[in-house]
């Protein structure tokens, strides 16, 4: 026995029977049982079915309550809901673990397809493996992580603008995840008041089913999807590193770009993010503590085996009047800076308004450089990322650099404070 139908409609019973070639079991016509155990008792067998089809009728509430109980007590079982309410009940159904919705007038062929998917999913869950026919069997989006060793360098500003720019280039392609689990402020930066936050997205049915997970995303006006950080630091305790890994893996099967804003440093959560990262954007401000901190983080990442070719170095709030030059910073880091974002008065106004510069279509020089960062990811996968911004030197220039070594320091700059570059 694999499929059980609970309905008071004889017509639906006949169509389910036709869709399953008579292999389904139908409870006596009438109201839905009050509990999963009551339903199974009516079957007169101890065997648990693969699929239970619940006819919601005119009042979906009893069916939703029963579906939630099945999801809690029998997580390896798929529940299908028969309803014609469509969008009115979709979100509620997905949140209580309903696998799929079918229309009361669905033809046997449509019912057969829905039931086949549900049976395959149930049996795959019981084997504790992925479903045999995933929605996107070979799809893997880019996980772009924004990181920095210290706060106050504009990391969230870079993350939100990058995510907005990617979403504008290809609508509905991008999700932004706030994984500064204690003090994330992506919601503030995008002027959002989310109904759900990170803890909701990593627990319950959302942690097992991408269809359910999507119902916990917040949609921004730019067609960007967002998972906002916990509403209080205390809520962060419920989110583990394993939760983070599973969440990013699921999102990468559904979106072309998963942009992740992390907390400063290399916490357990950040290390979990790095394991799933395809592109790492390292952000620092143009000051001695920021540059020295980034050098230490880059050394730590190298020790962890994070490949240098996946890295994009962003120098934010560029202002040479502070006594440092880009050449000084590049020599200290031991690598080139890929994107130079100038200091801008428009940035503060943008943050206070909750409207990223790229959303405002600003002509500010900062917006131009942020758009250049976006271009690094919207260009062809085969194109070398550095060449997309014009920062990658020619082979001849590389050879010259190797022969001559780092650019010599300039008189008057506080070179000794940065420390000697390594490697």
């Amino acid at each position: 026995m694999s499929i059980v139908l609970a309905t008071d409609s004889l017509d639906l019973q006949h169509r389910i029977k036709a869709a399953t070639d008579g292999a389904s079991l139908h409870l006596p016509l009438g109201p839905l049982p009050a509990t999963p155990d009551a339903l199974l008792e009516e079957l007169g067998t101890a065997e648990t079915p693969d699929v239970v089809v619940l006819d919601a009728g005119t009042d979906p509430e009893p069916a939703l309550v029963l579906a939630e109980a099945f999801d809690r007590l029998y997580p390896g079982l798929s529940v299908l809901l028969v309803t014609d309410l469509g969008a009115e009940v979709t979100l509620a159904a997905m949140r209580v673990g309903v696998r799929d919705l079918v229309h009361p007038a669905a033809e046997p062929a449509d019912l057969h397809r829905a039931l086949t998917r549900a049976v395959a999913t149930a049996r795959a869950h019981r084997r504790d493996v992925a479903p045999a026919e995933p929605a996107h069997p070979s799809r893997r989006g880019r996980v772009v992580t924004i990181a920095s060793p210290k706060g106050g360098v504009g990391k969230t500003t870079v993350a939100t603008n990058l995510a907005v720019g990617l979403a504008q280039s290809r609508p509905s392609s991008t999700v932004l995840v706030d994984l500064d689990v204690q003090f994330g402020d992506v919601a503030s930066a995008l002027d959002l008041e989310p109904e759900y936050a990170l803890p909701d997205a990593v627990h319950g049915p959302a942690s097992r089913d991408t269809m359910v997970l999507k119902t916990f995303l917040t949609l921004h006006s730019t067609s960007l999807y967002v998972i906002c950080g916990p509403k209080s630091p205390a809520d962060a305790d419920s989110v583990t590193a394993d939760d983070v890994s599973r969440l990013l893996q699921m999102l990468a099967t559904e979106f072309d770009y998963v942009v992740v804003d992390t907390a400063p440093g290399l916490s357990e959560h950040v290390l979990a993010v790095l394991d799933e990262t395809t592109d790492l954007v390292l952000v620092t401000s143009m000051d001695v503590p920021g540059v020295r901190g980034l050098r230490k983080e880059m050394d730590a990442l190298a020790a962890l085996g994070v490949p240098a070719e996946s890295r994009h170095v962003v120098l934010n709030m560029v202002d040479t009047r502070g006594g440092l030059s880009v050449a000084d910073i590049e020599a200290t880091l031991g690598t080139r800076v890929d994107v130079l974002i100038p200091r801008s008065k428009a940035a503060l106004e943008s943050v206070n308004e909750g409207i990223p510069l790229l959303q405002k279509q600003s002509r500010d020089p900062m917006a131009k450089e942020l758009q250049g960062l976006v271009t690094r990811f919207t260009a062809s996968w085969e194109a070398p990322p550095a060449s997309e911004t014009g920062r990658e030197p020619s082979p001849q220039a590389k050879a010259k650099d190797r022969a001559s070594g780092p650019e010599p320091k300039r008189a008057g700059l506080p070179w000794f404070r940065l420390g000697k570059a390594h490697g």
Side-chain angles (χ1 to χ4, degrees), residues 371-392:
Q371 188 60 55
L373 177 61
V374 173
T375 303
R376 297 177 72 85
F377 302 101
T378 56
S380 170
W381 277 78
E382 289 73 27
S387 65
E388 295 162 9
T389 62
R391 295 285 300 166
E392 179 71 10

Side-chain angles (χ1 to χ4, degrees), residues 139-193:
R139 177 172 179 166
R140 168 72 180 180
R142 295 175 80 163
V143 178
V144 184
T145 297
I146 318 300
S148 68
K150 61 189 290 289
V153 300
K155 178 174 51 60
T156 298
T157 297
V158 172
T160 50
N161 275 279
L162 174 59
V164 164
L166 292 172
Q168 289 174 330
S169 70
R170 192 181 307 170
S172 301
S173 67
T174 306
V175 59
L176 171 61
V177 185
D178 190 348
L179 279 175
D180 186 341
V181 295
Q182 287 190 319
F183 299 106
D185 54 4
V186 162
S188 175
L190 293 172
D191 193 27
L192 293 173
E193 294 185 5

